Amino acid sequence: DTEVTQTPKHLVMGMTNKKSLKCEQHMGHRAMYWYKQKAKKPPELMFVYSYEKLSINESVPSRFSPECPNSSLLNLHLHALQPEDSALYLCASSPGQTNEKLFFGSGTQLSVL
Amino acid sequence: KNEVEQSPQNLTAQEGEFITINCSYSVGISALHWLQQHPGGGIVSLFMLSSGKKKHGRLIATINIQEKHSSLHITASHPRDSAVYICAVSRSNYQLIWGAGTKLIIKP
C-alpha cells in the first residue's frame, strides 16, 4: 500500500464552523506533512510531524491546529477560518528522515464562505 | 530572483514529441525532486535525485550538480502526460524550495 488517503475530498464551511481534515498512511512512514496550495501556485509547507512530534510549524495562524494521534494518522483541525484560507490542502508522508521522496494524498479542496 | 527557476512556464506539443523541461537552482541542495500534478489533483513524486540520471518508463531525469541544473525528459509524449511538472529542491531539513511549475499540454 503506497497510498496517502485524505478525507474529505471537498469541504465547504462557514467562518464560524469547526471541521477537521484527515490523512492516513500505512507505509510505516514516520514523517507527515500538511501543505496549503492556492490555485496556480506551488504548495506552501504548513506543518511537519516527525515521529509523532511537531517538528516544523511555518508560523501558521492558530485557527489551524494539527494533530498526530499516531504514526499513521494526521489531522488538521479548522476553526474560525477566513475566506482567504480557501485552498487545496495536501497531506504528504516520507519514511522519516529529511530529504526523502514524498508521497502525497489527493488533497482536500476547501472553500470557506 | 527565485532560488528555483523552471522553463518553460507553459509548453504545448503534439503527441509523440520529445519533451524537455528545465530547472535551475541557485542554492546548495541535498536532492532535487521532480513532481507531477494533474488539474485539481494530488501530487505524484516522479524522481528524487542527487547526481546523474534516473529513468522510469518514458521519463528521464538528469542533474548536473556543478552547473546547478536539472532536466526532465518525456519520450513519446502522450495526452495523458498533460499536467503541471514541478521541480523542487531539498536542503537540510524537511523543507522543499519549489519552482513555479511547467504546465504541459500534449495534443492528440
Side-chain angles (χ1 to χ4, degrees):
Chain A
D1 183 2
T2 58
E3 279 195 355
V4 176
T5 303
Q6 286 189 246
T7 55
K9 292 198 184 308
H10 301 273
L11 179 62
V12 179
M13 60 186 291
M15 290 190 284
T16 58
N17 291 160
K18 283 186 183 181
K19 297 285 184 184
S20 296
L21 308 185
K22 295 185 185 304
C23 175
E24 190 168 2
Q25 57 86 15
H26 296 288
M27 294 178 278
H29 288 177
R30 303 309 298 272
M32 296 186 77
Y33 309 69
W34 281 115
Y35 284 90
K36 173 183 176 181
Q37 187 179 27
K38 298 286 252 183
K40 300 188 180 182
K41 297 287 186 185
E44 299 171 24
L45 184 65
M46 300 174 73
F47 303 103
V48 180
Y49 274 83
S50 173
Y51 292 84
E52 296 151 58
K53 287 188 169 38
L54 186 62
S55 178
I56 294 177
N57 176 343
E58 286 294 322
S59 303
V60 179
S62 59
R63 57 186 185 268
F64 295 91
S65 175
E67 179 196 19
C68 188
N70 60 57
S71 59
S72 299
L73 292 174
L74 185 66
N75 298 321
L76 186 63
H77 302 297
L78 314 173
H79 175 53
L81 294 194
Q82 304 296 310
E84 59 264 28
D85 296 321
S86 298
L88 180 68
Y89 288 83
L90 291 159
C91 174
S93 70
S94 65
Q97 304 302 316
T98 60
N99 307 316
E100 295 172 315
K101 181 177 175 178
L102 292 174
F103 292 75
F104 284 86
S106 56
T108 294
Q109 188 65 54
L110 174 67
S111 295
V112 182
L113 304 179
Chain B
K1 192 178 189 301
N2 293 333
E3 293 168 304
V4 179
E5 298 270 3
Q6 281 186 242
S7 63
Q9 281 188 301
N10 295 281
L11 178 57
T12 299
Q14 290 297 128
E15 183 173 357
E17 285 189 37
F18 181 81
I19 302 299
T20 296
I21 300 170
N22 295 300
C23 176
S24 296
Y25 54 93
S26 57
V27 295
I29 68 169
S30 51
L32 184 141
H33 304 251
W34 281 104
L35 308 109
Q36 177 196 59
Q37 187 171 30
H38 285 282
I43 294 173
V44 174
S45 179
L46 300 174
F47 297 103
M48 188 181 83
L49 62 166
S50 53
S51 66
K53 177 178 174 178
K54 288 191 175 181
K55 185 175 189 288
H56 186 255
R58 295 180 294 106
L59 301 177
I60 303 165
T62 64
I63 188 168
N64 184 318
I65 297 293
Q66 286 72 32
E67 294 186 6
K68 294 188 175 179
H69 181 267
S70 176
S71 294
L72 176 69
H73 305 286
I74 305 175
T75 62
S77 59
H78 190 277
R80 65 175 175 266
D81 297 324
S82 298
V84 175
Y85 291 84
I86 311 171
C87 170
V89 300
S90 51
R91 305 192 73 188
S92 58
N93 57 20
Y94 293 101
Q95 296 270 22
L96 290 179
I97 305 173
W98 299 76
T102 295
K103 184 175 181 180
L104 174 65
I105 297 173
I106 304 296
K107 294 186 173 180

